[in-house]
Amino acid sequence: MSPRKDISIDSKVDPLEVKEEILKKYPAKVARRRAKQIVVNRVESDDKVPEIQANSRTIPGILTMRGCAYAGCKGVVLGPTRDILQITHGPIGCGFYSWLTRRNQTKPKSADHPNYMTYALSTDMQEDEIIFGGEKKLKKAIEEAIALFKPKAIGIFSTCPVGLIGDDVHAVAREMEEKYPGVNIFGFSCEGYKGVSQSAGHHIANNKVFTDVVGQLESPKEGQFRFNILGEYNIGGDAFEIERITERCGFTVHSTFSGNSEYDEFASAHTADLNVVMCHRSINYMAEMMEKRYGIPWFKVNFIGANATAKSLRKIAAYFDDAELTSRVEQVIAEEMPEVERVREEIKSRCAGKTAMLFVGGSRAHHYQELFAEIGMKTVSAGYEFAHRDDYEGRKVIGDIVIDADTRNIEELTVTADETRYRARKDDAERQRLAAQGIRFSDYVGMMPEMSQNSLVVDDLNHHEAEVLMEKYKPDVFCAGIKEKYVIQKAGVPLKQLHSYDYSGPYAGFRGAINFYREIDRLVNSKLFHFVKAPWQESPELAGSYAWDEYETRVSNEG
Ligand code: CFM
């Protein structure tokens, strides 16, 4: 990640004015709250950036881009694992909508290895269960699933009604495990309402995988330089490209949490010698807990962007400190880069100076700025849907984050060193040697310190705000998801989906960078979007005002 803080955005748009324009439409109370989540970026010498409010409840009535805790747990963290049988305990809609929609891919090691990812298993809760309880039906579902699939492990995922009616999925898991001792059965209290967004579901998933899966098997993979990749989910085949590169370099990726992964890899992940973290938001908990219990250090990497990929490979090589490994890594970079550079130069000539906006999840809005910068494009505005302050401002602010009731709702595990299996992988001298090479353990610098001065950072963006941003900045491309895609494109701005990649990918690694450059080139240089006229541009819109504001004014005038 190259610092870009000295590049000011050369634009006629005043971000403060844009902020005012956004807030103008809101009732006073809403405007006050949203003002704290919309920040003009200022990077000071020590990477200090302004405070942004994040990970707080969305104001009712606002059309947020966020998802739920169930989505974060079942869909995001566990979803890409192919041989943990996943049962959604709840009404059928939750299971259906989390069925393959994320485009995480997988490749079983051989034809006889199981892959349950194409299935959607649900207890299909009905009114009867809502009234009389659903535990019986869940037990039946587990027995049926074991008879059909004979899985090693089963995860039970709770949806909102489970918590509301009080079904105890953990008791069911224990009972079923006693009955079927060969199957590891565990439940997740990831009811959709559990947090303010899917971020809560990440934490719940991390906790359970850590307590019930990691450490269950002592079967290290062969290889001298073994590490786990945390927070890489193989969307559009990203993990395949990362595996291709790391294999060429001579590394052994022990387990990916959780792209293209399987149960045994999770269960023995504690035997690896390093954890590298891609998506900090979704899996920092696991990295921290594995370090405390097993002594595995972690640092942040980024395989989005060719330069970032090269930098990350060098960082991992430096950690293992082996001359032969280092020269192999250099050789791979030297072989991969010429093609990347050839395409990059060609595309840069057509894309340089154009502008992008990124509003995605909890890490991609940061990582993808790297790819845009490589083809000379500027990120004028960006934000996360559900990230926390540390993802914006860097982990240095963790101590200052006020823990509210919503966060307290999610269990924070107390983890201590494992009596027999704790093994510090690096001593102080080694850590100092690596620190001298710029390797910062247990750290994430955050998005804002690497963004341009005066760029506009918006947390939990909504439709109204997106419309103002488009009108004011007229960006050449807007990156978000399917919920935003058609509203943005009808307004004449191309939208690139950075969740599902619009049925394309991979975008990680060297080949992924080439794919991305080419697609962005086609999007921003297409004339098509300029001919688009949205229905609301041609016929007048209905306008409304907030009765509450008028009422408040009247009351205060009368009072
Ligand atoms: Fe991490 Fe993700 Fe993301 Fe995320 Fe997600 Fe995703 Fe995302 Mo969609 S784990 S935070 S909850 S990088 S599903 S693979 S694209 S919002 S930016």
Side-chain angles (χ1 to χ4, degrees):
M1 283 164 263
S2 51
R4 292 183 286 278
K5 57 190 147 205
D6 48 340
I7 310 167
S8 271
I9 287 171
D10 173 26
S11 153
K12 288 175 196 72
V13 188
D14 176 358
L16 263 181
E17 258 173 45
V18 178
K19 180 175 175 176
E20 269 165 36
E21 183 71 25
I22 285 173
L23 298 178
K24 211 162 76 183
K25 269 247 173 165
Y26 290 133
K29 262 189 207 161
V30 177
R32 269 200 304 278
R33 283 186 55 186
R34 284 301 294 155
K36 296 181 195 151
Q37 289 171 278
I38 305 174
V39 169
V40 178
N41 197 34
R42 273 269 116 217
V43 189
E44 286 166 34
S45 53
D46 53 352
D47 272 359
K48 209 174 163 295
V49 288
E51 180 177 335
I52 186 164
Q53 185 176 301
N55 189 34
S56 56
R57 284 187 191 192
T58 300
I59 300 156
I62 281 186
L63 292 177
T64 170
M65 294 160 77
R66 287 173 166 175
C68 67
Y70 164 80
C73 181
K74 197 268 181 192
V76 174
V77 179
L78 271 298
T81 321
R82 62 179 164 262
D83 63 351
I84 296 179
L85 198 68
Q86 309 192 5
I87 302 178
T88 296
H89 187 31
I92 196 66
C94 307
F96 181 78
Y97 284 107
S98 55
W99 183 21
L100 294 181
T101 43
R102 186 155 166 258
R103 291 193 76 240
N104 29 235
Q105 304 181 1
T106 203
K107 210 185 278 162
K109 290 189 176 120
S110 68
D112 53 355
H113 272 72
N115 173 17
Y116 309 130
M117 267 167 58
T118 49
Y119 296 93
L121 282 82
S122 166
T123 52
D124 184 20
M125 224 179 215
Q126 303 288 324
E127 283 158 345
D128 255 15
E129 283 86 48
I130 301 286
I131 297 163
F132 300 108
E135 291 180 9
K136 249 197 235 152
K137 200 171 187 186
L138 176 61
K139 284 179 208 168
K140 253 187 88 185
I142 293 171
E143 301 206 296
E144 207 181 310
I146 291 176
L148 272 173
F149 296 100
K150 303 182 180 53
K152 282 181 186 166
I154 296 180
I156 308 157
F157 297 86
S158 306
T159 58
C160 295
V162 173
L164 297 174
I165 65 176
D167 272 4
D168 187 343
V169 297
H170 308 288
V172 171
R174 277 195 302 275
E175 191 187 322
M176 288 288 106
E177 217 172 38
E178 270 164 35
K179 199 165 169 189
Y180 300 95
V183 193
N184 186 356
I185 306 173
F186 37 90
F188 296 87
S189 289
C190 57
E191 288 88 346
Y193 60 77
K194 267 290 164 71
V196 301
S197 70
Q198 52 268 62
S199 167
H202 301 149
H203 196 165
I204 293 162
N206 278 232
N207 286 351
K208 206 39 144 199
V209 172
F210 181 74
T211 56
D212 284 45
V213 184
V214 175
Q216 297 293 314
L217 284 175
E218 301 298 333
S219 50
K221 279 190 185 171
E222 284 190 16
Q224 224 182 323
F225 313 110
R226 294 176 312 114
F227 62 89
N228 302 311
I229 303 179
L230 272 53
E232 161 48 55
Y233 301 97
N234 205 18
I235 313 296
D238 277 354
F240 295 152
E241 167 67 357
I242 297 170
E243 283 166 17
R244 180 188 74 81
I245 298 169
T246 47
E247 214 169 283
R248 284 201 66 196
C249 292
F251 296 118
T252 303
V253 174
H254 186 96
S255 175
T256 301
F257 287 78
S258 56
N260 195 30
S261 64
E262 51 184 43
Y263 175 83
D264 287 3
E265 293 168 342
F266 287 175
S268 55
H270 64 293
T271 63
D273 289 319
L274 168 70
N275 281 332
V276 300
V277 173
M278 268 285 285
C279 167
H280 172 264
R281 180 67 270 135
S282 62
I283 208 139
N284 68 86
Y285 321 95
M286 179 66 79
E288 290 281 291
M289 292 189 289
M290 280 177 79
E291 170 144 37
K292 279 186 194 144
R293 179 165 296 173
Y294 301 108
I296 308 175
W298 70 270
F299 56 64
K300 180 79 180 64
V301 292
N302 179 21
F303 290 110
I304 301 296
N307 297 344
T309 300
K311 200 175 160 190
S312 298
L313 293 172
R314 289 186 174 119
K315 203 167 165 182
I316 302 168
Y319 176 87
F320 288 109
D321 192 25
D322 177 274
E324 204 184 306
L325 175 75
T326 306
S327 80
R328 207 156 46 222
V329 166
E330 287 306 328
Q331 193 190 333
V332 170
I333 295 171
E335 282 169 17
E336 299 273 347
M337 275 312 244
E339 178 62 6
V340 174
E341 273 156 16
R342 191 186 64 75
V343 178
R344 181 158 69 196
E345 284 318 303
E346 179 204 326
I347 279 159
K348 205 171 175 180
S349 68
R350 290 190 293 268
C351 293
K354 293 194 185 291
T355 56
M357 284 184 179
L358 301 92
F359 292 95
V360 214
S363 86
R364 296 190 168 178
H366 180 196
H367 288 161
Y368 279 78
Q369 292 185 31
E370 191 75 37
L371 274 171
F372 282 114
E374 288 183 353
I375 49 172
M377 287 181 62
K378 292 174 184 172
T379 301
V380 287
S381 183
Y384 295 125
E385 290 170 49
F386 51 74
H388 301 197
R389 274 186 63 200
D390 38 324
D391 305 292
Y392 284 104
E393 301 168 50
R395 276 182 77 93
K396 58 184 177 297
V397 302
I398 284 184
D400 308 333
I401 296 176
V402 182
I403 309 291
D404 61 8
D406 289 313
T407 307
R408 223 168 277 132
N409 214 2
I410 315 300
E411 193 185 3
E412 186 76 49
L413 300 179
T414 311
V415 178
T416 51
D418 189 290
E419 278 176 23
T420 54
R421 296 183 291 178
Y422 182 93
R423 181 167 57 85
R425 302 322 199 248
K426 294 279 171 196
D427 59 19
D428 281 351
E430 269 289 278
R431 280 182 178 257
Q432 269 167 20
R433 175 185 72 80
L434 291 162
Q437 293 179 47
I439 293 180
R440 290 153 71 163
F441 286 103
S442 315
D443 193 25
Y444 173 41
V445 63
M447 175 170 83
M448 288 164 72
E450 296 200 330
M451 275 182 78
S452 308
Q453 306 286 27
N454 274 328
S455 50
L456 192 61
V457 184
V458 187
D459 180 58
D460 190 17
L461 184 86
N462 58 52
H463 271 185
H464 152 62
E465 294 169 3
E467 277 175 22
V468 176
L469 290 180
M470 279 191 299
E471 197 190 302
K472 295 290 172 193
Y473 283 102
K474 301 184 176 51
D476 294 293
V477 64
F478 195 106
C479 300
I482 189 68
K483 299 195 290 292
E484 296 73 44
K485 186 171 177 86
Y486 298 102
V487 178
I488 304 285
Q489 292 197 158
K490 279 179 185 171
V493 176
L495 185 139
K496 179 72 214 162
Q497 289 191 65
L498 281 192
H499 301 261
S500 73
Y501 297 169
D502 290 298
Y503 331 108
S504 176
Y507 294 148
F510 300 114
R511 291 184 185 165
I514 293 175
N515 287 342
F516 194 78
Y517 303 156
R518 289 214 165 105
E519 279 181 43
I520 294 302
D521 179 31
R522 284 198 291 270
L523 267 181
V524 301
N525 289 310
S526 159
K527 305 245 179 331
L528 180 76
F529 293 95
H530 304 299
F531 295 116
V532 175
K533 260 213 169 335
W536 58 86
Q537 286 171 308
E538 289 180 324
S539 47
E541 228 182 310
L542 277 178
S545 64
Y546 295 94
W548 178 253
D549 262 6
E550 284 160 24
Y551 171 78
E552 263 191 333
T553 325
R554 211 177 63 224
V555 170
S556 62
N557 287 348
E558 283 166 3

